[in-house]
Amino acid sequence: MTVMTGVRLPGDSTVEHVTVGVPEPGHGQVLLRMKASSICGSDIRAIYREHLGAGPEAYQGVIAGHEPCGQVVAVGPGARRLQPGDRVVVYHIAGCGVCEECRAGYLIGCTSPLRAAHGWQRDGGHAEYLLAEEATCILLPEPLSYVDGALVSCGFGTAYEGLLRLALSGRDRLLITGLGPVGLAAAMLGRALGAGPIIATDVAPERLRMAEELGLVDHAVPADERATATIRELTDGRGCAASIDCSGSGAARLVALENTRTWGRCAFVGEGGQISFPVSELLIHKQITLHGSWVTSLRHMEELLEHLVRWDLHPERIVTHRFTLDQADEAYRVADRGTAGKVCIVFA
């Protein structure tokens, strides 16, 4: 095969189906046949609706999709670890490889002009094949599906990193604001790490209901004007030792801070938006530790895959809609409504 079909996102909430050449792997690269490629909230926020991004979020008109998972079909010269037939998860950014952030495994933080993210500055997973750097590919353990692997590459990795920053454990009651795919991931992983009870808020009744039906949360609280009062009732007025905002909403972040107990820890992982709050009252006087956490590292992503197998957890439990590549238009429309769980494009 010399040509393949793929999807680009021209903005204005539209999808463009294109035919492009199948790339050949260069030095240290591998060619993957795509098996699953899920849609991230950042795709909707900064590319699909309109091209908002600058710098690392600047969309360059490439094949969309930064949550890919597939099977190696060819390797380029210099590839030393992978071989055809290997199932792999892809860390969705290729950095310069030599800066401090890259050497620590946090390619997300690379500031070199060489940095390129799949689906943003280099072709992503919404096509039949994907060209990736061997160094950014992690073997997918056999008990996990390709859909599981696609969800790990960004959403579950982002949630896991945030929970690591919080040093979450069975000692903690956990509050999650925002039950989109990252919030659902935080609930699933928080439960596995022993936290509880788990309280979560969202504006969408569908997502609150889904989280309860899957047994991911103990209390699903509507994100309305009574949210803080309800959480205080559930925590005897103390709040939660750990909280994580996965929404990117200023109002939800405020709820997370208001309901983090004295000496507690709070993490912001939801992208975008702004927040204004009384610093003395909510942060200083309560002696709260506030973390910002951006995606995850190669090492922690590999560690998460190992834990998912050990915990017998499958991220694909939060997938509510699956589409073929030909149905990408509908896939993005469903994801844009903000009421579904994870939306994933799957390949035969």
Side-chain angles (χ1 to χ4, degrees):
M1 179 182 289
T2 59
V3 297
M4 63 179 182
T5 57
V7 164
R8 292 177 180 150
L9 301 176
D12 196 27
S13 299
T14 58
V15 165
E16 179 187 13
H17 294 267
V18 297
T19 299
V20 296
V22 176
E24 293 186 7
H27 185 84
Q29 295 182 322
V30 295
L31 183 67
L32 309 180
R33 179 180 288 114
M34 280 294 90
K35 295 294 186 177
S37 183
S38 46
I39 296 175
C40 176
S42 293
D43 297 325
I44 301 297
R45 174 183 58 83
I47 306 178
Y48 175 67
R49 294 171 184 160
E50 56 180 317
H51 297 173
L52 292 178
E57 281 201 339
Y59 178 60
Q60 301 293 344
V62 298
I63 298 294
H66 68 264
E67 298 184 347
C69 190
Q71 187 173 40
V72 177
V73 293
V75 301
R80 296 178 293 177
R81 180 171 54 94
L82 299 176
Q83 57 188 358
D86 285 341
R87 304 176 340 129
V88 296
V89 180
V90 182
Y91 190 90
H92 56 286
I93 297 104
C96 68
V98 295
C99 71
E100 185 176 0
E101 292 297 292
C102 282
R103 287 185 286 110
Y106 287 93
L107 284 63
I108 183 73
C110 177
T111 57
S112 165
L114 298 173
R115 178 195 191 276
H118 289 288
W120 298 83
Q121 296 89 31
R122 63 183 290 169
D123 286 338
H126 292 358
E128 295 172 274
Y129 293 90
L130 173 76
L131 189 65
E133 307 303 311
E134 183 188 39
T136 64
C137 294
I138 299 173
L139 287 170
L140 176 68
E142 192 59 46
L144 299 179
S145 71
Y146 285 113
V147 174
D148 288 328
L151 270 60
V152 164
S153 68
C154 178
F156 270 72
T158 296
Y160 183 61
E161 187 76 22
L163 298 180
L164 288 179
R165 301 290 175 85
L166 295 175
L168 191 74
S169 74
R171 300 172 300 170
D172 302 317
R173 180 188 278 122
L174 175 64
L175 170 64
I176 301 166
T177 53
L179 278 173
V182 175
L184 292 169
M188 185 183 291
L189 297 175
R191 182 81 80 197
L193 288 166
I198 297 176
I199 303 169
T201 69
D202 200 273
V203 295
E206 297 89 344
R207 285 177 165 171
L208 292 171
R209 185 166 56 250
M210 178 184 179
E212 285 190 309
E213 289 174 350
L214 290 176
L216 302 181
V217 303
D218 299 291
H219 305 284
V221 177
D224 55 25
E225 65 278 357
R226 278 197 42 81
T228 286
T230 301
I231 296 166
R232 285 178 177 162
E233 290 172 8
L234 292 170
T235 61
D236 298 321
R238 294 187 178 90
C240 296
S243 64
I244 183 168
D245 175 69
C246 304
S247 72
S249 158
R253 288 172 178 149
L254 188 60
V255 169
L257 284 171
E258 287 174 340
N259 293 285
T260 302
R261 69 181 297 167
T262 300
W263 292 101
R265 299 97 66 205
C266 179
F268 289 172
V269 301
E271 292 269 16
Q274 297 182 351
I275 181 175
S276 177
F277 64 91
V279 175
S280 292
E281 177 186 347
L282 292 186
L283 199 67
I284 296 174
H285 296 175
K286 290 171 67 178
Q287 314 244 33
I288 286 174
T289 301
L290 177 60
H291 297 271
S293 183
W294 194 17
V295 191
T296 190
S297 69
L298 275 167
R299 182 172 65 84
H300 285 158
M301 197 164 86
E302 193 162 17
E303 179 182 287
L304 174 58
L305 287 164
E306 181 182 342
H307 288 330
L308 290 174
V309 173
R310 187 163 57 87
W311 293 333
D312 192 24
L313 287 184
H314 289 273
E316 69 176 316
R317 286 185 64 209
I318 71 168
V319 172
T320 55
H321 296 77
R322 300 171 189 239
F323 296 93
T324 64
L325 186 63
D326 291 340
Q327 299 170 317
D329 313 60
E330 180 61 17
Y332 272 89
R333 281 195 291 270
V334 170
D336 191 23
R337 292 181 195 131
T339 57
K342 194 68 170 178
V343 178
C344 191
I345 293 173
V346 295
F347 301 76

